[in-house]
Amino acid sequence: MTTEALGAAVEELLRPVTGTALSGGTGGAAALEPLVREVLGALAEGAARRGGPVAAASPADLAGGVADTFGAARGTEALGRLTELLAHGSADPADPACAAHLHCPPLAVAVAADLAVSALNPSQDSWDQAPAATVLETLLLEEMAGLVGYDPAEAAGVLTSGGTESNLMGLMLARDRVLGAATGRQIELTGVPRAGAGVGLGSAAGARPRILASAAAHFSVQRAAALLGLGEDAVIPVAVDSQLRMRTGALTAALERCAERGQLPVAIVATAGTTDTGAIDPLRECAELAARYGAWLHVDAAYGGGALLSARLAPLLDGIELADSVSLDWHKLGWQPAAAGIFLVRKSETYASLARRAVYLNPADDEEAGYPSLLGLSLRTTRRADAFKIAVTLRTLGREGLGRLVDACHELAVAGARAVAAHPRLELYGQAGAGEPVLTAFLFRYVPAASGGAGASGGASADADAVRADEVNAALRRRLLREGGAVVGRTELPGEGPGRVRLKLTLLNPHTTVREVERLLDAVVAAGTAEEGA
């Protein structure tokens, strides 16, 4: 078959197929324009049909509606119908009554920037797939290193999918550096030595690597330990205070026990912003202890890192600049579409065990000729240019503009916590200072009439009241979801026994008003009253 005939055959194959226009090239923008208009219209229609923070439906009913539309949507209808379905069936973090999780409403400018990335589809694993995006990510990371307090000329980092990936990377480097130094082995090549193979502090044999993290640290610390071959039970939970901050004394005692038992403290994980209360561990003290015991310090600032944008709140993270590695998430207190995670190390040489050479992606002679590669900085190969939307947002609003958003959300949380404290049917969980949230989240619960509030009598009666309070708070949250009235978080305090269930508000919409938060709390009380009567 001739070349002309082959070309004609390809054209004939594509002619009856709709939706084959591409988003790139000189004609990509024109192809996108009507489709984007259709998407915007469908988003508006779906949001109007939803009419609140979440669709009023049971999980089964919602699943049935999704299945029906998915099965029926075909051809040119598919984009509009499925987009409207997604908008109708989504929890909308831009709604003031959607305040359960670290799930931010993204800035429109960031979403628009993300559209450009999706259209162009650069991949960050080689320069020839992402020439400009490679440079932009490098420049953004230098700026982020400076924000944390690192020397940008000495630091290194990469964009990640979020805190879970960043925490895994931090603990992987800790394992390779600290365990490698203790054993004289290249851990990423030879693997984690078995217990009793001469790993230890000084001359101690049979030691086992340990990771120390607060009892309120993110669950991804245990997951990372499992993936790294250390085992989840290598993670030692350190006691927290009444504000869920790691106790310095408890950390010191845990490190001393490691030394006595010949165990190797590979890493200390300090949390800067717990998911439940935004609690911030004593970072400077953690850094001093890590240095004393030869441990790597990783700071999980996926949530609290946003405080660095605020001149008023940044001092809360004093000592973060001493960490060996840091995790940041700008899809939390940064108002970016997910994913927008950042992983940073203070010293670029500590990245050595992640370095990779793939001859088809980053051959040495290309790099010598001035074509840089980011491949050896990430656990992933194909990786979208998530730095672009952050870069656009920073250049549009500046640190001061973003800091104002952080401050607005913090002040909103303070007002919300005060409203809870003043309400006769709500009970605020103790916060820093005079009941004020550290960042933008706080815990509380609805107090059933029969429970007698915080001063319930002891013994079996108190246990029964505590069980009842847990049941009512769990059920009222599901009622709000089922009725489409609100999306409120639910968690449990550390410890054992009944009475630990708490509701949570995580306020990440800077445009929400205090009155809207008060109305949300009124809805919680109404749902609690309804559950008591059910």
Side-chain angles (χ1 to χ4, degrees), residues 299-533:
V299 174
D300 178 2
Y303 175 21
L308 295 170
L309 298 166
S310 162
R312 180 160 55 86
L313 298 179
L316 292 171
L317 272 66
D318 174 59
I320 193 172
E321 71 279 3
L322 303 174
D324 295 290
S325 58
V326 171
S327 167
L328 305 170
D329 276 4
W330 296 130
H331 51 251
K332 293 182 172 69
L333 268 181
W335 296 279
Q336 300 297 297
I342 290 176
F343 174 71
L344 296 167
V345 294
R346 182 163 48 89
K347 300 292 184 182
S348 59
E349 59 265 26
T350 61
Y351 235 115
S353 61
L354 262 172
R356 285 294 177 271
R357 179 76 62 197
V359 293
Y360 71 101
L361 291 173
N362 62 340
D365 57 327
D366 268 6
E367 292 194 351
E368 291 167 2
Y371 293 82
S373 168
L374 305 180
L375 178 67
L377 297 173
S378 178
L379 293 175
R380 293 177 286 165
T381 304
T382 301
R383 187 167 58 83
R384 75 193 304 271
D386 288 319
F388 182 72
K389 60 198 173 194
I390 306 174
V392 169
T393 302
L394 277 170
R395 287 298 174 268
T396 302
L397 279 76
R399 179 182 175 184
E400 182 183 358
L402 284 167
R404 288 177 180 271
L405 301 185
V406 173
D407 288 343
C409 290
H410 176 248
E411 290 172 4
L412 190 66
V414 169
R418 289 176 179 173
V420 166
H423 201 292
R425 300 306 302 275
L426 299 175
E427 178 185 274
L428 180 68
Y429 177 71
Q431 303 288 330
E436 293 191 352
V438 180
L439 296 172
T440 67
F442 59 88
L443 302 182
F444 68 105
R445 66 175 174 173
Y446 171 80
V447 183
S451 75
S457 60
S461 176
D463 284 346
D465 286 347
V467 169
R468 176 62 175 155
D470 285 352
E471 291 173 344
V472 170
N473 278 274
L476 77 84
R477 174 180 165 273
R478 291 190 292 269
R479 176 184 286 270
L480 289 169
L481 287 171
R482 189 169 60 249
E483 295 177 351
V487 185
V488 176
R490 174 244 171 103
T491 189
E492 294 184 16
L493 300 177
E496 296 181 357
R500 295 183 297 114
V501 171
R502 292 294 184 276
L503 303 176
K504 176 172 65 171
L505 292 190
T506 308
L507 299 168
L508 296 180
N509 183 344
H511 298 293
T512 297
T513 66
V514 173
R515 183 66 192 110
E516 286 169 332
V517 174
E518 291 172 344
R519 282 199 292 268
L520 173 55
L521 294 172
D522 289 341
V524 168
V525 172
T529 303
E531 282 301 322
E532 284 193 83

Side-chain angles (χ1 to χ4, degrees), residues 44-188:
E45 291 171 10
R49 189 157 65 91
R50 184 182 66 242
V54 68
S58 70
D61 289 342
L62 182 66
V66 171
D68 289 345
T69 302
F70 179 67
R74 290 288 188 276
T76 56
E77 287 187 334
L79 177 62
R81 290 192 64 180
L82 292 178
T83 301
E84 182 182 344
L85 168 73
L86 181 65
H88 171 260
S90 289
D92 182 7
D95 191 291
C98 186
H101 302 285
L102 287 164
H103 176 202
C104 74
L107 292 163
V109 68
V111 173
D114 214 29
L115 171 63
V117 169
S118 293
L120 295 167
N121 206 29
S123 181
Q124 300 294 89
D125 48 316
S126 66
W127 187 93
D128 59 359
Q129 296 178 85
T134 296
V135 180
L136 275 171
E137 177 165 327
T138 303
L139 293 172
L140 176 70
L141 288 167
E142 290 175 356
E143 195 163 321
M144 292 297 99
L147 182 68
V148 166
Y150 289 167
D151 180 349
E154 295 184 356
V158 75
L159 270 288
T160 71
S161 59
T164 296
E165 182 184 349
S166 295
N167 290 345
L168 173 61
M169 292 180 71
L171 291 175
M172 176 183 172
L173 296 179
R175 179 201 66 178
D176 296 346
R177 298 284 294 187
V178 179
L179 188 54
T183 62
R185 302 170 62 171
Q186 198 168 346
I187 302 300
E188 67 273 20

Side-chain angles (χ1 to χ4, degrees), residues 207-232:
R208 180 162 181 195
R210 294 296 192 187
I211 297 168
L212 296 93
S214 89
H218 196 263
F219 67 86
S220 60
V221 175
Q222 280 81 3
R223 178 176 288 176
L227 289 170
L228 294 170
L230 303 176
E232 289 195 21

